Amino acid sequence: MARSILSVQNLTKKFGGLVAVNGMTFDVGEHEVLGLIGPNGSGKTTMMNLISGALKPTSGSISLQGTRISDLPAQEINRKGVARTFQLVRLLPSLNVIENVIAGAVFGHRKRWGVEAENYAREMLERVGLQVAGDAPVSTLTYIDQKRLELARVLASDPKILLLDEWLAGLNPTELETGISLIRDLRNDGRTIILVEHVMDAIRSLCDRCVVMNSGTKIAEGTPAEVLADREVIRAYLGDDDA
Amino acid sequence: MTDKDWRNFGLAVVGLAIAACLPLSGNGYYLTIGVTIAMYVVLATSWALFSGPTHYISLATAAFYGLGTYVVALGIDDVPYIVLLVIALVVGAVSAALVGLATLRLSGVYFVIFTLGLAEMVRQVVTWVQSNWGGHQGNYVLTDITEEIIYWELLALAACVYLAGWLIGRSRLGFALKIIGNDEVVAAHSGINTARSKVLLFMVSGMVASLVGAILAPRWTYIEPSIAFSPMLSFQVVIMALLGGVKRLWGPLVGVIPFTLLWEAVSISFPNQTLLLMGVAFLLIVYTIPHGFVGLLETYSARFRERKG
Ligand SMILES: Nc1ncnc2c1ncn2[C@@H]1O[C@H](COP(=O)(O)OP(=O)(O)OP(=O)(O)O)[C@@H](O)[C@H]1O
Ligand SMILES: [Mg+2]
């Protein structure tokens, strides 16, 4: 693994009695695409929420390039270069397409404003392959275009680390291919990405390494081929009748 | 600035110039209504600056307005009026900052209730302090400030509010507020300090309301807490702003003028039912034209364009 850029140490998150993330420890290397996988309800989104600052951990820490970020509010974590998409797409419905992207460019990691922000937003729209008029309302977008738009907004802050929470979910087979090759392009740009995904093809073809979660705990870590062959991982996915 | 900006700027200047001539008519009744309209234009427009983009319904207008009125009521005998206006501005800004910091983390309905309670609480405190230590219920405000001067002061303030609103609309702060109004989670994850942005704009509307209270204080000659902190004022501001529409800077203006005129007539004919009628008006507006006149206009012009195109 390359030099570590993000380091998660012994991280725990409890919701009342429910331990959604339980003592997770892992590192993400620079320019690495890390797959965060696991069955439904295993705590992947909670993990993303903890990294992005949407939630505060109960204990443990997260550091970005050696600086602790787990006490910071979401906006400051974003300004330090961590940006995310949401499992359920979140757009800004009263803003048009281009304004939705500019929203990501103005206040975040790299700040742009005015004509510069607008030009950069157009570049991002092109980057994600969204070919609609900038002044179109977002309500006219198809599902994959909504996902593209959200990705463009997130890219507009030029993040060091990109968190994608099931960005490929809900796409049809052709769209899926487009989606995978788009993420591959981002990977080739040298972006560091944490990818939460259920689509196995995507995991195999995109991830350098995977961390597998089950009931909030890390049960495996390694290359996609290694973890997908792991017996405990298979058991977690197929369900464990003996437990 | 674009051509459209210049056109709007021109229209605003002409409109203000015409409005400024009203006292020359020499008709005292027109002037009285003019003052009322100018007052609500300023209050509703500055209210919409904050509540329009954020969708936070603030019922604190009366609290800030009353504070401004009391700054003048308490200081008029000892401090020059112009200094009192500055103090009112500062008091409004500081109290709005405090209220904002305490409440803007609350979501929707809690915020509404809190702001409503706030005005009532301030009123009770002022009443209590006055009857325990002041030994009297109210204060006299005796000045040689005429209704014309009050009217022109309000127009000048309206010009400042429009200018401020236009500048905010083009600024990062204005853009941040729009994003917050759409989705606060996305706003925070896009690097926006949501609490700070909201508090800043809340301060703008609070300080304008306080200044309006201070400007209008000389109109009353005798000031009591029930006049200065009337909860009706907060509701009226909300109703007028919603009637006009909060999506455009000029929206509240087109709500205030018809509503004030209508309200004049209503309160003369049914002086004892004003509260009830206010409630009815509120329901009617929210149900029939939720986006105000601005919304109606935009719907119709969109349809018109469709038919032509
Ligand atoms: N805000 C919350 N309050 C209470 N419980 C929560 C909250 N968020 C998540 N949980 C619980 O934490 C557990 C992990 O949820 P999480 O959404 O992180 O799973 P996931 O791995 O992302 O699942 P999926 O693959 O279905 O998206 C679940 O049992 C969920 O019900
Ligand atoms: Mg999830």
Side-chain angles (χ1 to χ4, degrees):
Chain A
M1 191 182 79
R3 201 155 52 95
S4 159
I5 179 167
L6 188 88
S7 169
V8 175
Q9 289 297 324
N10 209 7
L11 199 72
T12 296
K13 176 68 189 178
K14 296 184 185 165
F15 295 112
L18 177 84
V19 188
V21 169
N22 192 358
M24 287 287 291
T25 298
F26 64 89
D27 277 80
V28 186
E30 221 165 354
H31 311 302
E32 184 179 44
V33 177
L34 180 83
L36 187 59
I37 64 177
N40 285 348
S42 54
K44 305 179 297 293
T45 297
T46 307
M47 191 64 232
M48 295 294 231
N49 284 336
L50 292 168
I51 298 174
S52 78
L55 294 173
K56 291 278 149 287
T58 311
S59 63
S61 77
I62 304 169
S63 6
L64 178 69
Q65 292 171 316
T67 331
R68 192 181 162 105
I69 57 167
S70 39
D71 315 309
L72 300 178
Q75 69 264 19
E76 274 167 48
I77 294 176
N78 177 263
R79 287 180 195 176
K80 287 189 182 294
V82 179
R84 71 175 293 184
T85 61
F86 296 87
Q87 185 165 354
L88 300 172
V89 188
R90 295 183 95 127
L91 298 177
L92 307 165
S94 90
L95 305 186
N96 64 27
V97 165
I98 193 81
E99 288 168 337
N100 261 272
V101 186
I102 296 174
V106 180
F107 311 93
H109 180 224
R110 294 257 181 283
K111 298 177 180 56
R112 296 177 165 86
W113 179 242
V115 183
E116 197 197 351
E118 191 167 334
N119 290 338
Y120 195 67
R122 285 192 200 291
E123 260 177 58
M124 292 306 109
L125 282 178
E126 217 165 286
R127 188 82 194 80
V128 301
L130 187 54
Q131 289 161 330
V132 295
D135 61 0
V138 296
S139 55
T140 58
L141 297 182
T142 60
Y143 184 64
I144 186 172
D145 281 350
Q146 291 180 20
K147 293 219 140 190
R148 283 184 163 127
L149 183 58
E150 192 187 35
L151 184 59
R153 178 184 77 220
V154 165
L155 288 175
S157 67
D158 205 349
K160 293 181 197 161
I161 300 186
L162 197 56
L163 311 178
L164 303 180
D165 194 350
E166 300 199 23
W167 194 79
L168 297 167
L171 303 184
N172 67 35
T174 4
E175 290 171 341
L176 193 61
E177 235 166 79
T178 322
I180 290 178
S181 76
L182 177 54
I183 299 179
R184 190 174 299 119
D185 289 345
L186 297 178
R187 178 203 154 94
N188 294 341
D189 291 347
R191 301 241 179 232
T192 306
I193 303 176
I194 301 182
L195 197 69
V196 168
E197 210 41 79
H198 283 301
V199 181
M200 289 301 162
D201 283 347
I203 296 164
R204 280 202 198 86
S205 70
L206 292 172
C207 299
D208 298 298
R209 273 187 323 125
C210 285
V211 166
V212 189
M213 291 181 77
N214 190 24
S215 310
T217 323
K218 182 171 87 175
I219 57 168
E221 181 171 358
T223 64
E226 279 165 18
V227 299
L228 294 177
D230 186 289
R231 288 189 51 193
E232 204 180 341
V233 174
I234 294 168
R235 205 176 334 137
Y237 268 97
L238 296 181
D240 185 0
D241 293 339
D242 307 326
Chain B
M1 294 211 310
T2 63
D3 286 351
K4 202 171 150 218
D5 286 331
W6 281 112
R7 192 200 66 196
N8 290 346
F9 181 71
L11 281 175
V13 169
V14 171
L16 266 170
I18 294 173
C21 296
L22 180 77
L24 307 180
S25 73
N27 184 322
Y29 178 66
Y30 286 168
L31 185 58
T32 304
I33 291 193
V35 168
T36 307
I37 288 181
M39 161 184 139
Y40 280 117
V41 166
V42 173
L43 289 176
T45 308
S46 63
W47 180 88
L49 284 185
F50 168 75
S51 294
T54 59
H55 312 303
Y56 277 75
I57 304 290
S58 160
L59 289 173
T61 310
F64 300 126
Y65 175 95
L67 283 175
T69 309
Y70 261 85
V71 166
V72 173
L74 296 176
I76 193 71
D77 294 334
D78 313 302
V79 185
Y81 182 62
I82 182 82
V83 177
L84 291 177
L85 292 185
V86 176
I87 295 176
L89 198 75
V90 174
V91 167
V94 171
S95 45
L98 294 177
V99 173
L101 286 172
T103 61
L104 285 170
R105 290 165 204 277
L106 300 178
S107 62
V109 75
Y110 296 99
F111 178 77
V112 180
I113 303 290
F114 186 95
T115 53
L116 178 63
L118 179 78
E120 203 51 27
M121 187 190 76
V122 179
R123 177 163 81 113
Q124 297 296 344
V125 168
V126 171
T127 311
W128 185 78
V129 168
Q130 283 210 316
S131 51
N132 279 285
W133 289 313
H136 50 83
Q137 280 293 308
N139 298 71
Y140 284 98
V141 177
L142 301 171
T143 65
D144 48 13
I145 297 167
T146 60
E147 199 148 34
E148 281 98 334
I149 296 179
I150 293 178
Y151 179 72
W152 281 321
E153 280 177 301
L154 287 173
L155 281 192
L157 182 56
C160 295
V161 168
Y162 280 117
L163 188 65
W166 182 74
L167 289 172
I168 290 170
R170 297 160 54 96
S171 71
R172 282 162 227 239
L173 177 62
F175 190 45
L177 260 291
K178 261 195 228 163
I179 299 170
I180 292 171
N182 271 274
D183 190 329
E184 209 159 327
V185 173
V186 169
H189 282 88
S190 304
I192 295 170
N193 187 333
T194 54
R196 199 187 67 121
S197 313
K198 286 189 283 183
V199 169
L200 275 176
L201 261 213
F202 194 58
M203 283 171 71
V204 171
S205 69
M207 92 193 185
V208 170
S210 174
L211 191 53
V212 171
I215 289 176
L216 279 160
R219 197 191 198 193
W220 299 110
T221 62
Y222 185 72
I223 287 169
E224 288 186 315
S226 59
I227 296 176
F229 297 96
S230 154
M232 278 282 267
L233 180 84
S234 304
F235 283 104
Q236 260 168 301
V237 166
V238 176
I239 291 174
M240 293 183 195
L242 293 182
L243 175 65
V246 294
K247 283 209 227 142
R248 293 273 178 277
L249 196 51
W250 48 267
L253 176 74
V254 296
V256 168
I257 294 175
F259 194 88
T260 310
L261 297 177
L262 185 76
W263 204 244
E264 259 316 288
V266 166
S267 41
I268 290 168
S269 319
F270 309 96
N272 300 320
Q273 279 84 37
T274 50
L275 211 57
L276 173 74
L277 291 168
M278 180 74 71
V280 173
F282 185 73
L283 292 179
L284 271 178
I285 291 168
V286 172
Y287 274 108
T288 55
I289 35 171
H291 298 293
F293 291 144
V294 171
L296 277 184
L297 209 72
E298 283 179 353
T299 316
Y300 284 125
S301 69
R303 258 185 232 165
F304 181 70
R305 252 179 281 135
E306 252 171 44
R307 210 167 293 164
K308 266 178 73 175

